Amino acid sequence: PYSETFRQPEVWISMLLFFFYVGAEMGLGAWAYSFLTESREISVKVAGYLAGSFYLMFTIGRALAGLYARRVGTHTLVKASVAGALTGSILMLINVSDIVTIIGLALVGFSIAPIFAAMVSGTTERVGAKYAANTVGLQMSASGASGAVLPPLMGVLSRHISLEVVPVCLCIFF
């Protein structure tokens, strides 16, 4: 029963992992173009290509992850992916140059690609077989809630502070 599932701390941690991961992914997807054009003053055309390249790198990363996921294991894959995403977010944050920002954006896109699938497949290992089915449903609920909360929150913060909060939020979420 869900009442028993909710008493497991690992379940709550899993839900938080999904909440922050999906919020970071959807937030960057939603705000990358505005961040590039309005905050970093990259031309509209180039920013459009770059925002699209975030998803291209995501697609490439997801395809490649399938080739090496079994060799490295889900925990290692997720840790390396989060480290790559955090590194990319920091590169975006430090604002050294446009090329560093672009590399950071591409690195985040590539790095986050395997996280969702790897975390779903690692659910049983994290929470145990008894709670896995309920936990997967709760993780999906946390993902949906995150998509409804964190990207708009990033937008509100951007409006009241500046779009420079986008990489700050990514660093916090990752």
Side-chain angles (χ1 to χ4, degrees):
Y2 274 98
S3 60
E4 191 175 331
T5 303
F6 278 121
R7 289 194 297 266
Q8 309 308 310
E10 297 86 358
V11 171
W12 287 97
I13 292 169
S14 284
M15 290 169 59
L16 281 173
L17 289 170
F18 277 84
F19 184 83
F20 286 113
Y21 164 73
V22 170
E25 177 188 322
M26 291 182 72
L28 183 55
W31 293 106
Y33 178 80
S34 298
F35 171 72
L36 294 171
T37 56
E38 295 178 32
S39 188
R40 299 298 166 88
E41 299 179 352
I42 294 174
S43 76
V44 172
K45 186 176 182 178
V46 172
Y49 286 120
L50 294 174
S53 73
F54 165 74
Y55 290 106
L56 174 64
M57 293 304 293
F58 184 90
T59 302
I60 292 168
R62 181 70 56 93
L64 291 176
L67 300 175
Y68 58 83
R70 287 184 188 243
R71 285 186 226 149
V72 299
T74 57
H75 291 303
T76 302
L77 182 61
V78 170
K79 287 177 188 177
S81 295
V82 170
L86 181 57
T87 301
S89 300
I90 291 168
L91 291 175
M92 292 172 62
L93 177 68
I94 60 175
N95 195 13
V96 174
S97 68
D98 288 349
I99 193 70
V100 171
T101 297
I102 293 164
I103 291 168
L105 179 66
L107 181 59
V108 172
F110 182 79
S111 296
I112 66 173
I115 294 176
F116 191 90
M119 288 195 317
V120 170
S121 68
T123 300
T124 302
E125 191 176 334
R126 272 193 315 279
V127 301
K130 182 176 181 180
Y131 305 109
N134 286 353
T135 302
V136 168
L138 293 169
Q139 290 169 162
M140 296 309 110
S141 297
S143 299
S146 175
V149 172
L150 294 183
L153 175 62
M154 291 169 72
V156 169
L157 292 173
S158 293
R159 183 174 195 156
H160 290 292
I161 301 168
S162 91
L163 280 160
E164 289 298 319
V165 302
V166 170
V168 172
C169 289
L170 294 176
C171 288
I172 291 167
F173 298 160
F174 289 127

